[in-house]
Amino acid sequence: MVVIGGEGALVLGGLAASAIAMTMPSAAPLVVQIAMAVAAMIAGAAWIALAGGLRHWRGVNETISSLLLVYIAIAVFNHLVEGLLRDPASLNKPSTPNIGDANMLGTIPGTDIHWGLAYGIIACVLAYILIYRTTFGFGMRVAGGNVKAARMVGLPVGRLVLVACGLAGASAGLAGMVEVAAVHGKANASLIVGYGYTGILVAFLARHNPLAIIPVAIQLGGIGASGGLLQRRLGLPDATVLVLQGLIFIAILTSEVLYGRLPWLKRRPA
Amino acid sequence: MTSAFKLSRRVLLQGSAALGATTLLAGLPFGSAQAKDIAVGFIYVGPRDDFGYNQAHAQGAAALKKLGGFKVLEEENVPETVAVEKTMESMINLDGAALVFPTSFGYYNPHMVKLAKKYDKVRFLHCGGLWSDKDPANAGSYFGYIDEAQYLSGIVAGYTSKTGKLGFIAAKPIPQVLRNINAFTLGARLANPNVTTQVIFTGDWSMPVKEAEATNGLINQGVDVVTCHVDSPKVIAETAEKRGIMVCGYHVDQSKLAPKGYLTGAEWNWEALYPKLAKSAQGGEKIPNLVRGGLKEGVVKTSAYGPLVEEKARKHADDIKAKLTAGSYVIFKGPIKDNKGGTVIAAGTDRGQTDIELEKMNYLVEGVLGAIA
C-alpha cells in the first residue's frame, strides 16, 4: 500500500490547529499547544483514513485517491482561510488570526532549529517500534504486502488499513501543526509549499524504514538548504537542487536494479 | 544480515581524494567583491525571468549591479516559509549583506520582522507597503500605486476594443488586486461607457494552465482585450497573441511576447527605486520606513504603445498620464457604484491615492462582470 496524499493532511492539520487556537484565547500555552496537536492529528487522520476507507470498501486505488484528495484539501483550506476563518486584518494575504506569541513552540535552546526536529525524530522512532516490534505492526506489514495472504491467516485487513492510514495522516497533520506553531503563527497559503510531496521522496529513499528517514530527511533538507549558496556563489539556477535530488533518486533506482548483477556488487557470503 | 560492502583501502583513498577536491573547490574565490562595495541581497519568490513580478525586481537588481559600488546577491524560488529566514541569515552572515530586499508580500510577517529584530545593524526593505511604527526601525516597506498605470491601460483598452468586452485574469480577490481591476474598468469606461470587464479569479499567483484556460474562455465569449494580475503574464500574453486578440501587460513589458496585439502595460519601475534606496543605505542616511508612490514619484510606469493603439487613445491616455504625474487627478472619485448597484464612494468624495480606505477595497465597480466570493 502506498499513500502519497500527505500534503493534504498537512495543510488541513495546520488549519485545524490554528482554528482550535482561535477558540481558546485565554488558555495556558501548554493546553493550547496540546489542543492544537490533537486537532491537527484528528484532521490529518480523518483525511487519509478517507483514502483508506475508499480502498477498503470501494476498491479505489489509495495511491491515486490520496493524491487527488490533496487538491480537494487545498481547495477546502483556501475556502476557509479566505472566508470563515479569515482574520479581517489580513487584507492582502488572507490568513487565520495569529495564535499568539505565547503559544509558539520556539526553538531548541542553543540553536535556531525549532522543536519540529524533535517531533520528527520521536515520530520516526515510535513508527519504527510500532511497525517492527509489535504484533499490530507485523499485521500491518502483511496486509500492506499481500491482502489475500493477510485475509487467509485471518487478519482484520479493513481495520489495519484504516488505522495505518489514520496514523499516517495524523503524522502529516502534526507536521502542519508544527509549521503553524513554530514558524508562521497562523494558517495561510505559505503552508502549501509541497512538504507533503518532499515526504514522498524521503520515504522512498529511506526504503520505507522509519529510522532511515531521519538521516535521509536531514540529507535532503541539507541539499535544499544548499540551494541558496549554489545560486549566490556559483551562479547556478535554483533547479540545481532538483537535479541533485534527481541524481540521488536515480542512483538508488540503478543500484536496486544492478544489485547482485555486477561482479563487484555481489553479496559476499556471511 | 551482514554488511554487503567492506571499506577497502582503495575506496577509502578514492573517497579522501574526492573530499579533498571538494574542499579545494569551496576555497576558490567565487564571486568575490572589492572590500568597499556594500552587499545588497535580493530574494525572489519565483524565477527571476518569469516575464512578471519577479523579473521586475530582478531588473531593479540588474540596474543596481550596473551602477557599480554594490555587490548584488540574488536568490530565486525562495518560498514564504522558514526558508526565507535562512536565506536572509545566510546573506547576512556569509556574504555580509548590509541591505536586504525580500521582495514577496508573504516574506514580511513573521519572517522579515523576526530577522530585523535579530540583526539590528542590517537594513531590511520589503515590497508590499506594510510597515507600521510597531515594527523595527531598521525595517522598511515600499510599494507603488500601480493602479494608476492600470487606469491608463484601461483607457487604451476601452478605445481599442471592438466588441466592448474586456477580460481580466486575477489571482485572488484581495484589495490590491481588486483595486487594479476597478482602476482598469474605470479607465476603460472613461473611453467608452458601455465597456464591461469580465473577471476570472484563478485562486493563486502562479497557475499557468488555469491562466491559459481562462484566456481561451474569455476569448470564446467575445472578449478582445485581456489583462491580468498574476505573477507571470507570460501565458496570457502568448495565448492572446496566438488567438489574435489584444493584451495589456502587467509587472514588466511583455511586448516581445505579443508584438502584434500588445497595447500598453502597467509596469513597476524598480530600476529607478532600487538604486535610490541602495545609495541612501550606502551613504548611511536614515532608512525610509515607508515608501510609496505612483507615476509622480516614478515608482510605476507604462509600456510604450503598441501598433494597434490609435491616435485618439494615445492622446487621451497621455493627457490623463500628465495629470497623474502632476498629482492633480483622482481615479477613485465619487460617485462610484459597485456592480451590485450600491454606492461605494459617495458623490463629492475624492479618494486620493494615499487614502487608507482604498487599501481595504472589497468591491468590484459597475461594469465589472464577476463576483468576489
Side-chain angles (χ1 to χ4, degrees):
Chain A
M1 253 185 97
V2 178
V3 168
I4 56 173
E7 178 84 356
L10 188 150
V11 301
L12 289 182
L15 185 68
S18 49
I20 200 101
M22 278 165 75
T23 65
M24 40 204 316
S26 50
L30 191 66
V31 178
V32 179
Q33 284 164 2
I34 292 171
M36 285 173 72
V38 171
M41 286 165 76
I42 292 174
W47 197 252
I48 300 297
L50 258 178
L54 281 170
R55 138 105 184 217
H56 182 62
W57 286 299
R58 309 297 315 158
V60 178
N61 180 306
E62 77 287 347
T63 312
I64 293 169
S65 72
S66 65
L67 178 64
L68 295 180
L69 278 167
V70 173
Y71 298 100
I72 300 174
I74 290 174
V76 168
F77 178 89
N78 282 333
H79 178 74
L80 290 174
V81 169
E82 286 168 19
L84 196 62
L85 298 177
R86 179 174 185 171
D87 176 3
S90 63
L91 289 172
N92 281 315
K93 179 151 188 174
S95 310
T96 60
N98 211 294
I99 63 167
D101 284 347
N103 296 329
M104 296 293 281
L105 287 179
T107 54
I108 300 171
T111 68
D112 60 351
I113 303 164
H114 65 68
W115 281 105
L117 182 67
Y119 278 63
I121 291 175
I122 293 169
C124 286
V125 172
L126 288 181
Y128 176 81
I129 294 171
L130 179 74
I131 295 173
Y132 291 102
R133 292 284 181 270
T134 65
T135 329
F136 178 80
F138 180 73
M140 254 181 359
R141 275 186 289 153
V142 175
N146 188 331
V147 178
K148 268 188 197 155
R151 286 229 170 84
M152 212 117 83
V153 293
L155 284 169
V157 172
R159 202 165 68 207
L160 286 170
V161 165
L162 281 181
V163 172
C165 286
L167 288 174
S171 316
L174 188 63
M177 175 267 179
V178 169
E179 267 302 287
V180 168
V183 180
H184 298 289
K186 59 205 164 200
N188 59 32
S190 296
L191 276 184
I192 314 168
V193 286
Y195 289 140
Y197 297 122
T198 311
I200 302 171
L201 184 61
V202 172
F204 176 84
L205 292 180
R207 317 306 291 127
H208 310 297
N209 182 328
L211 288 184
I213 283 177
I214 300 169
V216 171
I218 291 173
Q219 156 123 52
L220 278 186
I223 291 178
S226 74
L229 275 179
L230 288 175
Q231 287 189 43
R232 297 207 308 273
R233 294 287 165 86
L234 302 178
L236 293 169
D238 172 63
T240 315
V241 169
L242 292 180
V243 173
L244 288 174
Q245 285 182 357
L247 284 176
I248 297 183
F249 201 67
I250 288 172
I252 297 268
L253 280 176
T254 319
S255 61
E256 191 112 308
V257 172
L258 296 181
Y259 196 71
R261 295 185 191 200
L262 295 171
W264 61 90
L265 275 175
K266 280 243 166 74
R267 190 181 287 261
R268 286 176 202 180
Chain B
M1 241 169 75
T2 56
S3 159
F5 302 101
K6 277 197 187 127
L7 199 63
S8 70
R9 188 159 23 166
R10 181 184 291 179
V11 172
L12 187 71
L13 283 174
Q14 282 168 346
S16 349
L19 206 69
T22 325
T23 328
L24 198 69
L25 205 65
L28 288 175
F30 287 110
S32 67
Q34 281 147 14
K36 271 183 198 162
D37 293 2
I38 81 159
V40 183
F42 289 90
I43 306 167
Y44 316 123
V45 74
R48 78 188 81 172
D49 52 357
D50 64 353
F51 278 97
Y53 185 84
N54 297 294
Q55 184 167 327
H57 291 293
Q59 284 175 0
L64 191 61
K65 219 183 280 177
K66 216 160 102 217
L67 207 64
F70 297 96
K71 179 181 161 195
V72 176
L73 316 161
E74 291 176 279
E75 247 187 81
E76 60 181 355
N77 286 328
V78 179
E80 294 169 343
T81 63
V82 76
V84 70
E85 296 177 22
K86 300 290 170 208
T87 292
M88 285 189 268
E89 286 208 273
S90 166
M91 283 177 165
I92 294 164
N93 292 332
L94 299 181
D95 292 324
L99 170 62
V100 182
F101 286 93
T103 62
S104 186
F105 195 86
Y107 290 158
Y108 193 74
N109 204 346
H111 312 298
M112 189 187 109
V113 173
K114 195 163 126 193
L115 272 273
K117 282 179 190 153
K118 189 169 171 188
Y119 297 95
D120 57 2
K121 298 279 182 297
V122 178
R123 289 171 183 236
F124 295 82
L125 286 168
H126 169 262
C127 181
L130 286 166
W131 192 85
S132 76
D133 44 17
K134 277 176 264 162
D135 293 330
N138 57 323
S141 197
Y142 56 90
F143 206 61
Y145 300 121
I146 200 162
D147 52 319
E148 293 180 351
Q150 283 282 13
Y151 189 70
L152 298 173
S153 287
I155 295 174
V156 172
Y159 275 112
T160 320
S161 168
K162 297 205 170 53
T163 60
K165 290 181 179 176
L166 314 179
F168 201 114
I169 296 153
K172 288 173 188 256
I174 56 171
Q176 256 173 39
V177 176
L178 298 177
R179 190 162 165 177
N180 276 338
I181 299 169
N182 290 337
F184 181 77
T185 308
L186 290 173
R189 284 167 81 88
L190 199 66
N192 173 1
N194 300 319
V195 161
T196 56
T197 306
Q198 173 74 54
V199 59
I200 294 181
F201 293 104
T202 59
D204 220 330
W205 295 106
S206 184
M207 300 232 133
V209 177
K210 271 195 187 172
E211 289 156 16
E213 281 170 358
T215 315
N216 277 316
L218 288 168
I219 298 169
N220 295 343
Q221 287 171 36
V223 164
D224 67 349
V225 183
V226 284
T227 189
C228 62
H229 187 159
V230 297
D231 270 1
S232 169
K234 186 167 186 272
V235 292
I236 295 167
E238 284 174 343
T239 309
E241 181 81 352
K242 207 162 61 192
R243 295 280 308 263
I245 67 151
M246 294 163 280
V247 56
C248 291
Y250 192 58
H251 295 311
V252 293
D253 186 1
Q254 281 107 26
S255 57
K256 276 194 195 116
L257 300 172
K260 279 194 215 122
Y262 195 78
L263 298 179
T264 181
E267 295 182 34
W268 301 105
N269 195 11
W270 304 134
E271 293 105 307
L273 185 67
Y274 287 174
K276 217 190 288 177
L277 291 173
K279 271 188 202 154
S280 104
Q282 196 176 33
E285 289 164 38
K286 194 190 165 300
I287 184 169
N289 294 117
L290 200 55
V291 178
R292 284 173 189 244
L295 289 163
K296 187 180 162 194
E297 293 82 4
V299 180
V300 303
K301 59 182 179 182
T302 54
S303 317
Y305 297 120
L308 292 175
V309 184
E310 287 165 13
E311 194 48 44
K312 196 167 56 167
R314 287 174 197 233
K315 203 168 162 289
H316 196 168
D318 283 342
D319 179 40
I320 302 282
K321 188 179 176 180
K323 284 184 188 160
L324 284 167
T325 311
S328 63
Y329 191 87
V330 177
I331 294 173
F332 292 96
K333 188 180 174 68
I336 291 180
K337 279 187 181 169
D338 67 13
N339 65 356
K340 291 175 205 149
T343 304
V344 283
I345 300 179
T349 308
D350 283 5
R351 297 231 179 268
Q353 279 303 25
T354 51
D355 194 325
I356 205 85
E357 279 301 309
L358 294 180
E359 317 219 333
K360 299 176 191 157
M361 197 172 275
N362 59 356
Y363 51 83
L364 292 164
V365 297
E366 191 179 16
V368 180
L369 308 176
I372 293 170

